[in-house]
């Protein structure tokens, strides 16, 4: 059940982000950059919310599991910052193909990096390490499917296209997350000491409140900002090129 909810949250964040991306490609100057930033925050925070929900179902026999607070927040920062770089690569590059490929690589790295940092934040009675093979597979999934999602989002302004792209991005994030779980190697040493950090439940409530408020406000702005030009042609013109063309 947590896997389904995690997937849905990643799709919701990606869907909002891709609608903002459409607005960015339809805008110029500072307005375009604000839309790109909103898109990046929506996608990145949606991916991180997926991770939080996924770790709600992460348990280890013989030991409680808690999470180091600074490292967990660092995983959020990794997701948002690297995804921002990827979204801006898509929006600003004059070459459509290069922008989508570079953006997909960066978003995929952001997904994988977020997961790795987030799981190394786990505190257990014992040690945690990774099998490199599933980790490589998870990175390949994240990069490949994220690139396809950005390609779909970049080539269409339709709601159906955005929904399909959001499903792809949700799959990229969730499949990479759970493939990474497969690669976890745990060596449990039973103990009774109190583990530092916070539980996944203690993280999830405040962030869901913040993320839910962000989704509501951003969705309202998207709904009140219709696409002026419409069509795929408008959506395939990079932001940087639009800005230069208006001079």
């Amino acid at each position: 059940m947590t896997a389904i909810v995690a997937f849905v949250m990643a799709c919701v964040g990606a869907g909002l982000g891709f609608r903002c991306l459409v607005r960015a490609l339809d805008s110029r100057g500072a307005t375009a950059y604000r839309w790109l930033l909103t898109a990046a925050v929506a996608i990145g925070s949606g991916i991180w919310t997926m991770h939080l929900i996924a770790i709600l179902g992460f348990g280890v026999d013989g030991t409680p599991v808690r999470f180091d607070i600074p490292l967990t927040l660092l995983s959020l920062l990794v997701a948002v910052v690297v995804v921002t770089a990827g979204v801006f690569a898509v929006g600003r590059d004059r070459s459509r193909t290069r922008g989508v490929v570079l953006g997909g690589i960066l978003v995929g790295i952001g997904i994988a990096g977020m997961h790795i940092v987030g799981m190394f934040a786990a505190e257990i009675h014992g040690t945690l390490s990774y099998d490199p093979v599933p980790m490589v597979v998870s990175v390949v999934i994240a990069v490949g499917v994220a690139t396809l999602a950005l390609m779909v989002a970049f080539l269409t302004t339709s709601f159906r296209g955005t929904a399909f792209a959001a499903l792809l991005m949700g799959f990229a994030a969730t499949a990479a997350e759970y493939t990474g779980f497969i690669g976890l190697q745990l060596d449990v040493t039973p103990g009774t000491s109190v583990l530092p950090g916070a539980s996944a439940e203690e993280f999830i409530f405040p962030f869901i409140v913040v993320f839910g408020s962000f989704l509501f406000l951003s969705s309202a702005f998207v709904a009140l900002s219709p696409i002026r030009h419409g069509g795929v042609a408008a959506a395939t013109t990079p932001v940087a090129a639009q800005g230069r063309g208006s001079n």
Side-chain angles (χ1 to χ4, degrees):
M1 180 59 72
T2 54
I4 296 173
V5 177
F7 171 73
V8 169
M9 293 306 297
C11 290
V12 169
L16 174 60
F18 288 148
R19 293 315 290 172
C20 292
L21 179 61
V22 169
R23 267 48 176 201
L25 297 171
D26 187 53
S27 305
R28 295 177 174 82
T31 300
Y33 294 119
R34 285 195 293 269
W35 279 121
L36 285 175
L37 184 59
T38 304
V41 173
I43 296 170
S45 57
I47 289 168
W48 194 70
T49 303
M50 175 279 302
H51 169 73
L52 277 187
I53 294 172
I55 62 176
L56 283 174
F58 176 71
V60 181
D61 291 337
T63 176
V65 181
R66 294 179 70 82
F67 294 88
D68 180 83
I69 294 175
L71 276 179
T72 302
L73 295 178
L74 178 61
S75 70
L76 169 61
L77 185 63
V78 168
V80 172
V81 170
V82 183
V83 168
T84 297
V87 169
F88 272 75
V90 174
R92 296 191 61 187
D93 203 308
R94 292 178 64 91
S95 169
R96 180 171 57 193
T97 301
R98 182 176 59 200
V100 168
V101 171
L102 179 58
I105 291 172
L106 288 169
V107 171
I109 290 173
I111 293 171
M114 176 275 300
H115 169 77
I116 292 171
V117 174
M119 291 314 298
F120 273 118
E123 299 280 358
I124 65 172
H125 289 305
T127 59
L128 180 151
S129 60
Y130 271 110
D131 181 342
V133 175
M135 285 309 304
V136 170
V137 173
S138 73
V139 173
V140 171
I141 292 171
V143 170
V145 184
T147 301
L148 182 59
L150 287 173
M151 185 181 302
V152 172
F154 194 58
L155 292 176
T156 180
T157 61
S158 70
F159 179 80
R160 288 184 179 180
T162 299
F164 182 53
L167 289 173
L168 287 171
M169 186 62 78
F171 176 78
T174 310
E177 177 83 4
Y178 283 91
T179 303
F181 282 158
I182 293 172
L184 281 173
Q185 296 180 327
L186 303 170
D187 183 12
V188 176
T189 304
T192 58
S193 61
V194 177
L195 294 170
S199 66
E201 291 82 357
E202 289 170 328
F203 277 110
I204 195 71
F205 179 73
F207 187 76
I208 286 295
V209 171
V210 173
F211 184 53
S213 300
F214 170 77
L215 284 178
F216 175 79
L217 293 174
S218 299
S219 298
F221 281 124
V222 169
L224 295 173
S225 303
I227 301 172
R228 291 190 300 273
H229 306 303
V232 175
T236 56
T237 305
V239 172
Q242 288 184 0
R244 281 187 285 272
S246 64
N247 291 334

